[in-house]
């Protein structure tokens, strides 16, 4: 059997693609913006803030948490979420290196 598509690429390339995927949905972008704006743990008010159904919000939170951009703590019967600041900083470094490749001096190609 052949290689999985992701096995053909470096760890860094796969990581960049995962970050791009997580930013590829406006609901996840909105959740991240709300968590930054609130600047504290958010417990349950995302449904009212974002305007999507609870299962949909939960799925997007799961994606963000799986990638490590947010973290969650159980408080009573709910889970409270906040930005995982160390992982966010690491993601910014990886993405900046990728996005800033055009800043190095090179000859025009075309």
């Amino acid at each position: 059997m052949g290689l999985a598509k992701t096995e053909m690429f470096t760890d860094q390339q796969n990581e960049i693609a995962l970050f791009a995927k997580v930013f590829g949905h406006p609901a996840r972008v909105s959740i991240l913006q709300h968590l930054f704006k609130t600047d504290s743990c958010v417990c349950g008010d995302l449904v009212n803030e974002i305007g999507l159904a609870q299962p949909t919000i939960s799925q997007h939170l799961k994606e963000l948490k799986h990638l490590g951009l947010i973290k969650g703590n159980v408080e009573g019967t709910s889970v409270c979420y906040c930005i995982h600041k160390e992982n966010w900083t690491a993601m910014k470094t990886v993405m900046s290196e990728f996005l800033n490749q055009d800043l190095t001096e090179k000859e025009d190609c075309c």
Side-chain angles (χ1 to χ4, degrees), residues 23 32 36 68-69 83-93:
F23 292 125
L32 290 168
F36 274 113
L69 295 180
I83 299 293
H84 192 303
K85 293 184 179 180
E86 295 83 12
N87 290 353
W88 183 264
T89 300
M91 178 275 305
K92 284 177 29 179
T93 300

Side-chain angles (χ1 to χ4, degrees), residues 39-83:
D39 197 28
S40 66
C41 285
V42 173
C43 305
D45 62 342
L46 284 170
V47 171
N48 294 330
E49 183 67 29
I50 308 297
L52 296 172
Q54 180 61 53
T56 304
I57 295 288
S58 294
Q59 184 61 37
H60 289 301
L61 288 168
K62 180 181 172 183
E63 291 289 326
L64 291 166
K65 190 172 180 187
H66 176 72
L67 197 53
L69 295 180
I70 65 172
K71 54 187 174 181
N73 298 315
V74 177
E75 292 188 13
T77 59
S78 63
V79 180
C80 299
Y81 292 95
C82 61
I83 299 293

Side-chain angles (χ1 to χ4, degrees), residues 97 99-108:
E97 288 173 4
L99 294 171
N100 290 337
Q101 292 178 89
D102 63 323
L103 299 179
T104 59
E105 293 293 324
K106 296 180 181 175
E107 292 183 32
D108 288 337

